[in-house]
Amino acid sequence: MTTEQTATAPEAAPDLLYTAAEEDLRAAVRALLADRADPAAALARAESGDPYDAGLWDRLAGSIGAAGLLVPEELGGQGASAREAAVVLEELGRAVTPAPYLTSSVVATGILLGCDTGEPDVAGLVTALATGARTAVLALPLTTAPGDPHPRAADTVTSVADAARADVLLLVRDDGLYAVETADPAVTVEPLTPLDLTRPLAAVTADPAAGLRLADADTARAAVRRGLLSGAGLLASEQLGIAEWCLEETVRYTKERHQFNRPVGSFQALKHRMAQLWVEVVSARAAARGAADALATGSPDARLAVAVAGAYCGRVAVHAAEECVQLHGGIGMTWEHPAHLALKRAKADEAAFGTAGRHKDTVAALAGLPAPSRADRL
C-alpha cells in the first residue's frame, strides 16, 4: 500500500461487541455484587450515612483486580483498557454500588497516567491505586465537563465526589497538580447532603501550601482533561447499567403482577412503553460502547464519541428509572424498593462530567454544526 493510500484509508469501525474476556470479567463482578451488594444491604448502608463497604472494595479492587485495569503491568496494573473498565461500571451501575471506582480507578488514575510516571512519587501513587490499597479523587466539582475551563485554585471546592473516603486528593493549582493526603491537618473534608446517597459529596478545603507537586501547569491541564474525558466516557457505561437493570426489573415485575386476572405486562399500553424503553437502552448501549472503544483505541474521534454518549445515555437512564418507579405502581414509590436508588443515581449522573446540553454543544462544535444561541433555547 502506498503512502497516499495509507493516508486516505478509512478508519476501522468501532467494535461494539463484548469479547469473551470482557464477559468473564462481567460474570466475576456480577457474582461479587450479588453476594455483597444486594439492594437491601445497599439501602441500609445508605441510610447509615456511610454507604461504602470496605470488604466489597477490597475484593473488587484487589481480588478481581478491577482497580488496575487502566494501569500498565509495569506499574502494578492489569494492562487492560477502557473497554474492560466500562464492563465493570455497567455492573456497578446495575447494582447502584457505592464504590469509588469511577472517581479513583478511572478519573484519578487517568490523570496520574497523564503525568510523568517515571517520577517515583507519581509511579508509587499509581501502583497504590492499581492494587486498591489507596484511593484518590480529583478535587473538582463532579459537574466539571472535559472541555470546561478549570476553575482557578481556590481554598474550598464543593461537590467533590467520594472525597469523604479518599486517601489522597488531587488538587489543580495555577502552577500544577498536587497530591494532598486527606489525613493532613491542612485539609478539611466536610460531607454534604447529596441527592444520591450512594455517591457522597463533600466540600474540600486545603491550605494553599499543602501537598506534593506532581506535575507542572501545562502537564496538569492536559492530564486533567484526559482524566475528565475518561470519566465522562465511562460514566455512560454506568448509566447503561442503570437503564438495563430498570428495564429488566420492570419487565420481570409486570409479568408477575396480575390485574383483572392477567399479567399487567400483557396490556398493550404497557407493552408499548417497555418496547420504546428497550429501543432506547439498545441505542444507549451502542453509544456507551462506542465511547469506551474510542477511549481504548485512542481514536481521534474519542471526544466526539464521548460527547455523543454523554448527551444520550444520561437521558435514557433517567427515563428508564422513572418508568421503573411508575410501572411498579405503589410498591415502586416505597423507600424499601430499590427503584428510588436507581432514579437518584440516574438523576445525579445526568449532571456529572457535564450536562446533556453541554455535551450537545461539544458535538455541534466538533461536527462543525451551528449551535442555537442561548437566547434561542429559552
Side-chain angles (χ1 to χ4, degrees):
M1 181 177 292
T2 67
T3 303
E4 183 179 355
Q5 289 174 318
T6 302
T8 59
E11 291 185 30
D15 183 2
L16 306 184
L17 302 179
Y18 299 97
T19 67
E22 289 166 0
E23 291 293 1
D24 289 342
L25 175 61
R26 181 193 307 282
V29 175
R30 186 174 295 189
L32 172 61
L33 297 180
D35 181 48
R36 296 294 298 259
D38 62 277
L43 182 58
R45 285 194 298 272
E47 289 179 310
S48 72
D50 183 7
Y52 300 106
D53 180 350
L56 170 62
W57 177 249
D58 288 343
R59 291 178 60 182
L60 177 68
S63 300
I64 293 180
L69 287 174
L70 300 181
V71 178
E73 293 182 14
E74 58 269 24
L75 291 174
Q78 309 303 318
S81 72
R83 291 176 57 92
E84 289 78 13
V87 170
V88 174
L89 280 163
E90 284 182 36
E91 294 306 309
L92 295 178
R94 286 180 63 93
V96 196
T97 306
Y101 189 80
L102 182 63
T103 50
S104 180
S105 303
V106 173
V107 177
T109 297
I111 291 171
L112 292 171
L113 290 174
C115 300
D116 182 3
T117 55
E119 290 291 332
D121 293 326
V122 176
L125 183 52
V126 170
T127 299
L129 297 186
T131 61
R134 312 199 80 197
T135 57
V137 299
L138 173 65
L140 285 179
L142 182 61
T143 53
T144 306
D148 286 352
H150 303 143
R152 294 182 65 84
D155 292 341
T156 301
V157 182
T158 61
S159 301
V160 180
D162 294 325
R165 272 298 189 91
D167 301 300
V168 178
L169 300 171
L170 300 181
L171 300 178
V172 182
R173 292 176 178 152
D174 292 340
D175 62 337
L177 181 71
Y178 287 76
V180 183
E181 299 282 339
T182 53
D184 191 322
V187 175
T188 301
V189 178
E190 181 181 356
L192 303 175
T193 302
L195 169 64
D196 176 15
L197 297 177
T198 65
R199 179 167 282 153
L201 303 177
V204 173
T205 304
D207 188 292
L212 175 68
R213 190 166 182 257
L214 300 178
D216 60 32
D218 290 339
T219 301
R221 281 192 290 270
V224 170
R225 283 196 298 269
R226 165 187 170 144
L228 290 175
L229 186 68
S230 294
L234 295 184
L235 174 68
S237 292
E238 178 177 291
Q239 292 166 327
L240 170 61
I242 295 170
E244 287 180 331
W245 179 86
C246 289
L247 175 59
E248 291 173 12
E249 181 65 17
T250 302
V251 171
R252 182 199 62 78
Y253 179 78
T254 55
K255 285 181 178 180
E256 297 176 356
R257 176 76 168 87
H258 282 65
Q259 191 174 43
F260 305 115
N261 204 33
R262 58 186 289 191
V264 296
S266 65
F267 294 112
Q268 189 174 39
L270 299 192
K271 284 182 178 180
H272 286 178
R273 289 173 67 172
M274 287 183 281
Q276 175 59 36
L277 189 55
W278 180 84
V279 171
E280 293 179 11
V281 171
V282 170
S283 300
R285 183 180 301 119
R289 292 299 293 170
D293 187 71
L295 290 170
T297 59
S299 169
D301 291 330
R303 286 182 60 202
L304 179 60
V306 168
V308 169
Y312 186 74
C313 294
R315 180 181 65 81
V316 173
V318 171
H319 184 211
E322 289 173 342
E323 291 288 79
C324 183
V325 171
Q326 291 182 17
L327 296 185
H328 272 75
I331 192 174
M333 304 292 180
T334 63
W335 184 260
E336 291 74 19
H337 196 278
H340 70 92
L341 294 177
L343 178 57
K344 291 171 183 174
R345 173 65 71 88
K347 288 298 290 183
D349 279 359
E350 198 175 26
F353 302 113
T355 63
R358 179 68 181 81
H359 291 302
K360 288 177 181 178
D361 287 342
T362 300
V363 172
L366 293 174
L369 300 174
S373 67
R374 191 171 297 276
D376 292 336
R377 297 182 202 170
L378 299 178

